[in-house]
Amino acid sequence: MDSPAFKAPVDPKEQPILDKLLYTRDQLFLVKQDKTKYVKSQDVVGYYEEICKQVEVLNEIRTSKPLEQNRLDTVLDDCLQLISLFFMTVGKCNEAPAAYSLVSTINRLLDHLKEAAFFLEKDIIGIDQQLTKIEESVELGRPHHHDVILTLLEARIATCRETLKELRQMLAPIPEDLMPLHEKLVSILRSLSGCNTRSKFPTHEVQDFQKQLQEISNEFQGRSVPDPHQNRSIEERLQEYANKIRSASISGTNQMPGREIIGDLLERNTLWSHIITTRQGKLDPRFHEQFAHLNSIRIQLEKLQLTQAWSLRETDLFSFQRKLNKVDEGRVHGNFVDDKGQPAELYEQRTLLYLLRRSYAFIYQMLTSSEPVSEALQPIYNQLSTLRKCLVEVKRSGGVSSARELYPYSMKLNSLDNMRHDGKFVVNGDIPEGQATVTALLHECFDMAYDLRNDAEQEKEAGRDTPNEDDDDEEERPVELKKPTTTPSQRADGADTGLTRTVSVK
């Protein structure tokens, strides 16, 4: 278990709570590891109730010492993270307990954005909207969930809101007309940081970015400006870069003029491009192991995101979160340190921070894109999603010329629809969460197929108005689709879709 290390509980009354939480965590971890069967909602709710019960007992013991932190808090956080991911796994994404893991990830992501001191306005807008959705879930869940969990979530959301407010203040002085330029500079700086972590340093790509920066500089200054850092040593550049970061971090409190913020960001880009060109991804040997560890996590998360819909069980993210949390909490005053406790130089600091922040960003993206569908229904949901994409593409490309072209789609839709019993999808005798979502998607696919068939028939009827000499030579009529007696949206009882075919031979 890659959880951060903390001292054991001092109060003997806390030991029984720690023992029970350790047992619960182990059980959750065993369920997480078992991929041979689907997780059931009732099992998750049982573990959730047990965790809430222990939190209530702990709160009574710590009435006089609310700021106490020891190993019990770490194990409790593990349990809450796991139960949150299990809620997502069984399709309860919109319930309050499911938000714990996401809020924790948002909190770290906001801290890293503030530390990096460069971000886009759309970054904080997106996070703000996500926090609003979580707040709505908390309010809706108030009658159904324990106050201890809701209070904990509200406290974490409030912390995120405070950091979000600071980030807004950092962008506030930038006028609207300069915001596109700010976005472009942030995009280039992120791209440069990505180039810096590649296995083979992309010299030509970095040179292209440097040309863009020179063009921006000439346009921003209104005249051709020579690069002031061309003849500086690497140490001077690193020191100047550190000054620019410090300046960007306090821009929200001292209300630095917008043009000055843009000018500093432009200079940061120029400095960083020269620094990474000089170093070309070569870190201090003391930090090779940390770099390899973080880079490996980032690559795994990137691959996982590409196959998320088909292979991700949300609980799989727990191991990555624990590893990243251990690295993040192992920093000293925000600095990455070596085995002897010596801090890294600026180049290593910013490189490692980029990998850490990027990894948390992947987790955030996967958590926010999780659908309210149980993993038991996920294969059906994925097939329907693919069918929908195909039907949308068919419609966009002009539809079909004849109803027979819809046979593959209608046959697949009928086979999926036949899996329902009394209007519900049943898996191993259980009715998984997400029935409404999957059924709505099924009906949408039926509706699209029905519309495409009708369009094809109308075009065919319109074509019959024009005489065709070849019509008399036909030996066989084309295969036709039976006209439906009910619309797909009326298919709650499994009635005929009208998408079955009848063959008429002349």
Side-chain angles (χ1 to χ4, degrees), residues 226-478:
D227 186 353
H229 310 290
Q230 193 68 43
N231 299 317
R232 292 190 183 183
S233 67
I234 184 65
E235 290 77 14
E236 290 174 327
R237 291 172 180 169
L238 287 168
Q239 183 58 49
E240 183 64 20
Y241 191 77
N243 294 337
K244 294 299 177 185
I245 294 173
R246 195 177 302 112
S247 175
S249 299
I250 63 173
S251 63
T253 57
N254 65 4
Q255 291 300 302
M256 183 190 297
R259 284 189 64 83
E260 193 172 335
I261 294 175
I262 297 295
D264 273 11
L265 183 57
L266 175 58
E267 200 157 348
R268 278 183 67 185
N269 271 277
T270 306
L271 281 163
W272 188 241
S273 69
H274 285 304
I275 291 168
I276 66 173
T277 301
T278 304
R279 298 293 293 267
Q280 298 207 350
K282 297 176 182 176
L283 279 75
D284 188 321
R286 296 176 299 154
F287 296 94
H288 280 177
E289 186 176 345
Q290 291 188 44
F291 176 86
H293 180 57
L294 285 172
N295 199 39
S296 172
I297 293 174
R298 186 202 60 168
I299 292 171
Q300 291 178 64
L301 287 170
E302 191 171 6
K303 290 179 179 177
L304 194 58
Q305 188 188 34
L306 294 174
T307 59
Q308 175 181 2
W310 298 95
S311 63
L312 177 69
R313 179 189 261 188
E314 281 80 0
T315 50
D316 294 340
L317 296 175
F318 175 78
S319 300
F320 294 108
Q321 287 177 322
R322 293 292 86 192
K323 291 175 182 177
L324 292 171
N325 291 352
K326 185 175 182 181
V327 172
D328 198 15
E329 294 173 17
R331 296 196 289 163
V332 180
H333 303 302
N335 294 320
F336 292 91
V337 295
D338 61 14
D339 295 337
K340 297 180 180 178
Q342 297 299 314
E345 297 296 332
L346 180 66
Y347 174 73
E348 284 74 20
Q349 291 285 354
R350 306 311 288 186
T351 301
L352 296 174
L353 178 62
Y354 169 80
L355 292 174
L356 185 63
R357 189 180 76 250
R358 195 80 185 96
S359 297
Y360 275 117
F362 278 128
I363 292 177
Y364 170 77
Q365 290 164 5
M366 284 186 272
L367 290 176
T368 53
S369 59
S370 180
E371 297 289 345
V373 176
S374 171
E375 65 169 345
L377 286 182
Q378 198 69 49
I380 299 173
Y381 180 82
N382 290 339
Q383 292 177 66
L384 286 170
S385 296
T386 303
L387 269 172
R388 183 186 177 280
K389 290 177 182 176
C390 291
L391 290 169
V392 168
E393 192 59 36
V394 169
K395 187 174 183 179
R396 192 190 319 176
S397 62
V400 293
S401 58
S402 67
R404 73 172 70 193
E405 293 180 34
L406 292 172
Y407 288 166
Y409 305 108
S410 59
M411 289 174 65
K412 185 62 180 178
L413 284 171
N414 282 318
S415 70
L416 292 173
D417 187 47
N418 290 336
M419 296 174 66
R420 296 199 293 172
H421 302 279
D422 296 327
K424 298 183 184 298
F425 292 97
V426 181
V427 180
N428 297 331
D430 187 42
I431 301 177
E433 297 283 339
Q435 296 286 330
T437 302
V438 176
T439 302
L441 186 57
L442 177 65
H443 286 169
E444 184 183 358
C445 290
F446 268 117
D447 287 336
M448 292 176 68
Y450 180 63
D451 291 341
L452 285 168
R453 192 199 69 168
N454 277 350
D455 292 343
E457 287 183 345
Q458 290 173 7
E459 289 182 8
K460 183 178 179 182
E461 290 295 331
R464 284 178 179 172
D465 295 339
T466 305
N468 191 335
E469 295 178 357
D470 297 332
D471 286 346
D472 296 334
D473 298 331
E474 274 190 329
E475 295 183 1
E476 184 181 64
R477 294 178 186 174

Side-chain angles (χ1 to χ4, degrees), residues 50 97 119 127 130 178 186 207-208 293 324 350 373 375:
E50 176 61 28
F119 48 89
I127 292 176
Q130 198 63 47
L178 288 179
V186 169
Q207 288 174 348
D208 288 339
H293 180 57
L324 292 171
R350 306 311 288 186
V373 176
E375 65 169 345

Side-chain angles (χ1 to χ4, degrees), residues 51-112:
I51 293 170
C52 290
K53 180 181 176 182
Q54 298 307 317
V55 174
E56 289 172 351
V57 176
L58 179 62
N59 285 345
E60 292 176 4
I61 295 173
R62 289 190 177 176
T63 304
S64 58
K65 45 180 181 178
L67 301 179
E68 174 78 17
Q69 287 285 318
N70 54 48
R71 187 175 178 228
L72 192 155
D73 298 273
T74 306
V75 175
L76 175 60
D77 183 66
D78 287 345
C79 291
L80 291 173
Q81 292 275 8
L82 275 168
I83 208 69
S84 173
L85 294 171
F86 270 114
F87 263 76
M88 288 187 171
T89 300
V90 298
K92 295 179 178 287
C93 299
N94 296 325
E95 297 196 21
Y100 184 87
S101 182
L102 179 55
V103 173
S104 299
T105 302
I106 288 175
N107 190 24
R108 291 187 183 273
L109 201 54
L110 288 171
D111 287 340
H112 294 154

